Amino acid sequence: RSHEAMLRLHRAHFVERRGHGAALELIEERRQEGVKEDADLQREHRQQTQRMMDANSQRIKNMAADGSFSCRSKDEQDKLAEKGHNPDEAQRMAKQIQEHSSTYKTQKESISARVSQRPNMTVRPKEEVESLLQARKDPQEAAAQMTKLVRGLEQQYKADRGAMTERVGARPKSTFWPREQQKQMAEKRHDPDEAQEKLDKNLRDLARDWKSQTEAMTQRIDDSPAMSFRTAEERALLLEARGDPEEGRSRIAQQMQELERTHKDRHQEMKGRVEANPKQTFWTREERERMEARKPKHDDAREMAAAQMRELARAYREEKRGMMERVAVLPKKSFLEPGLRQQWAYAEGLRTMKPGAASSEAT
C-alpha cells in the first residue's frame, strides 16, 4: 500500500504536474480512509455492546422467572445449597479452595521469576530500536519532510531536463532526408482544414463516379439476355424469394447515412481532442519561423492541389479507357454447350423480331 501511494505521489508530481496540492490531496484521502475505518469500528463496537446488553436483559428476565438473580439455574442452586448444609462437604470444599489458591500463587510466582530472568525477546538490536524510536515523527512533520523531498526531486528533474534541452539544441541539425525530398515534403504540407476539404471532395467525386459506373453496369446487365444453369421452376422460386430492389436500396442508403453520421461524429470528437491537446514539437522557434516562411500560400496550395487532382483524374480516365479497350478485344466466352447457345440465339432472334415478321413466319 505504501509503494502504491508513493507511485501515485510520483505520478501526480512529475506526470500530472499538480505540485504540492497532490501531496495534500493524498494525505486528505488517507485521512478520510482512516475516519471511515474508525467509524466502522465504532459501529461494530456499538453493535457488539448492544448484543451483550440484550443478552444480559434476557438473562435478567430468566432470573426473575426462576425466582433468583443468580447466573446459576435453580437445580444448580439446590445442589449447592444441599452441599452447603453438609459440614463435611463444606470443609472439603474449603480445603480444596485453599489448595487451589496456594497452587495458583506458587505457579504465578514461578512464571514471574522465569519471565523476569529471560532477556527481552526481539529481532532488532537495542541500537536499532532506539533509532526507530528517534525516527518516529509527527504526521504533519513527516508530510512537510516528504513535500520538501518531492520539491527537491522536481527541481533536480527540471535542471536535468534543461541541461538535456541545451545539449540537444547545441547539436547540429541532422536528417536522413535529402534536400529534394525535404522540399517536396514542405510543398505537400497543407492546412488540415484544407486537406480535409479536399479529401471530402475527392470522396464525393469517387462516390459519384462509382454510382455512375454501378448504374451503367446494372443497365448493361439488364440489357444482356438472361443466362442461368437453373431450371424454370428454380428461377421462379428464386424470383419469389428475392426482395424488392427498391426496399433493399433504401435500406442500404439508410445504413450508409448512419455510417456517414457516425463517421462525422467520430471525426468531430477526434478533431476536438486534437485541438484541445497542447501543441507539441521538437523544432525551435527559429526553425518554425523558417518553415512557416517556406510554406506555400493557401491560394498556391489550392491551385497545386487542383492541378494534381486533374492530373490524377486524367490518368484514371486513360487507364480506364485502356482497360475497356483490352476487355473489348478479348473474345466472348461462354460455359454453355453449342445446342444451348443455338437455342439462346434463336430465342434472342424471336425477341428482337418485329410482330409482323413473326406472324408471317409463323404462317
Side-chain angles (χ1 to χ4, degrees):
R1 185 176 180 181
S2 60
H3 181 65
E4 183 181 358
M6 182 62 69
L7 289 178
R8 289 181 60 189
L9 182 62
H10 180 80
R11 190 183 303 110
H13 270 277
F14 298 106
V15 179
E16 300 176 2
R17 302 287 184 178
R18 290 192 293 167
H20 179 61
L24 298 180
E25 290 179 2
L26 292 177
I27 293 172
E28 180 63 22
E29 183 179 351
R30 293 290 296 274
R31 187 190 68 80
Q32 292 179 359
E33 290 178 357
V35 171
K36 184 178 180 182
E37 291 178 358
D38 294 341
D40 294 340
L41 291 176
Q42 290 178 3
R43 184 171 57 257
E44 184 178 358
H45 176 70
R46 286 196 300 269
Q47 293 176 357
Q48 185 177 3
T49 305
Q50 186 64 34
R51 287 195 296 270
M52 292 175 63
M53 292 176 64
D54 295 341
N56 291 333
S57 300
Q58 187 65 29
R59 189 173 61 182
I60 290 173
K61 290 180 181 178
N62 295 335
M63 290 176 182
D66 293 338
S68 175
F69 288 93
S70 176
C71 59
R72 294 184 175 85
S73 63
K74 190 173 182 181
D75 297 336
E76 293 177 350
Q77 293 178 13
D78 294 340
K79 291 180 181 179
L80 291 175
E82 196 175 320
K83 290 181 180 179
H85 292 301
N86 191 355
D88 296 334
E89 185 68 23
Q91 290 180 2
R92 188 183 66 79
M93 291 180 64
K95 185 176 180 181
Q96 186 178 3
I97 291 172
Q98 187 176 2
E99 290 177 356
H100 284 318
S101 178
S102 66
T103 303
Y104 168 75
K105 187 176 181 180
T106 304
Q107 291 179 356
K108 183 177 179 182
E109 291 177 356
S110 176
I111 291 172
S112 300
R114 289 198 303 271
V115 171
S116 61
Q117 290 176 2
R118 280 188 165 187
N120 294 331
M121 298 177 65
T122 178
V123 296
R124 303 179 186 275
K126 186 176 180 180
E127 294 78 6
E128 188 175 355
V129 172
E130 292 179 355
S131 64
L132 289 175
L133 292 176
Q134 293 178 0
R136 287 181 181 174
K137 299 179 181 178
D138 186 67
Q140 299 295 334
E141 184 180 354
Q145 185 176 1
M146 180 58 66
T147 303
K148 183 179 180 180
L149 177 62
V150 171
R151 287 179 178 175
L153 292 175
E154 183 179 2
Q155 293 176 0
Q156 183 179 0
Y157 168 74
K158 289 183 178 179
D160 296 341
R161 183 179 178 182
M164 187 184 301
T165 305
E166 291 179 0
R167 290 197 302 270
V168 172
R171 295 182 63 182
K173 299 177 184 178
S174 59
T175 178
F176 58 89
W177 299 106
R179 188 181 300 276
E180 292 76 9
Q181 291 186 357
Q182 293 180 13
K183 187 176 180 180
Q184 293 177 2
M185 291 167 62
E187 291 177 355
K188 292 181 179 179
R189 188 178 293 123
H190 302 296
D191 185 70
D193 297 333
E194 182 181 355
Q196 183 63 36
E197 184 179 355
K198 291 192 297 183
L199 179 59
D200 294 339
K201 183 179 179 182
N202 188 19
L203 290 176
R204 288 194 297 270
D205 295 340
L206 291 176
R208 191 183 306 109
D209 192 9
W210 175 82
K211 186 176 180 180
S212 61
Q213 291 182 9
T214 305
E215 292 176 354
M217 189 183 300
T218 305
Q219 186 65 30
R220 290 197 301 271
I221 292 173
D222 294 338
D223 296 340
S224 63
M227 301 174 62
S228 175
F229 58 91
R230 302 182 185 276
T231 61
E233 292 78 10
E234 292 178 347
R235 289 199 298 272
L237 292 175
L238 289 174
L239 288 175
E240 290 178 0
R242 185 181 301 165
D244 186 14
E246 296 297 332
E247 182 180 358
R249 189 177 293 108
S250 63
R251 185 173 63 253
I252 293 298
Q254 185 177 3
Q255 292 180 0
M256 294 299 294
Q257 290 176 1
E258 184 67 18
L259 290 176
E260 183 179 3
R261 186 185 60 78
T262 306
H263 168 71
K264 288 183 179 179
D265 295 341
R266 291 181 178 176
H267 178 71
Q268 292 296 334
E269 183 180 0
M270 186 186 302
K271 186 176 179 181
R273 291 198 303 268
V274 171
E275 292 177 354
N277 289 333
K279 295 183 179 180
Q280 298 180 2
T281 178
F282 54 91
W283 303 105
T284 60
R285 181 175 298 177
E286 293 77 11
E287 293 173 346
R288 290 198 299 270
E289 291 177 355
R290 288 198 297 271
M291 291 168 64
E292 290 293 336
R294 294 178 182 177
K295 190 179 297 183
K297 302 297 182 180
H298 288 180
D299 298 337
D300 299 338
R302 188 180 297 105
E303 294 177 358
M304 189 184 304
Q308 186 178 4
M309 294 301 296
R310 287 195 295 271
E311 184 67 19
L312 290 175
R314 186 184 60 79
Y316 170 75
R317 288 195 296 270
E318 293 179 357
E319 185 177 359
K320 182 181 177 181
R321 187 182 303 107
M323 188 185 299
M324 297 298 293
E325 293 175 356
R326 291 196 299 273
V327 172
V329 171
L330 293 176
K332 297 183 179 180
K333 297 182 180 180
S334 174
F335 58 90
L336 296 176
E337 297 178 356
L340 291 176
R341 288 200 299 271
Q342 292 178 2
Q343 293 178 5
W344 278 107
Y346 179 73
E348 184 65 18
L350 292 177
R351 189 182 297 112
T352 57
M353 187 180 298
K354 295 182 179 180
S359 61
S360 62
E361 185 178 357
T363 56

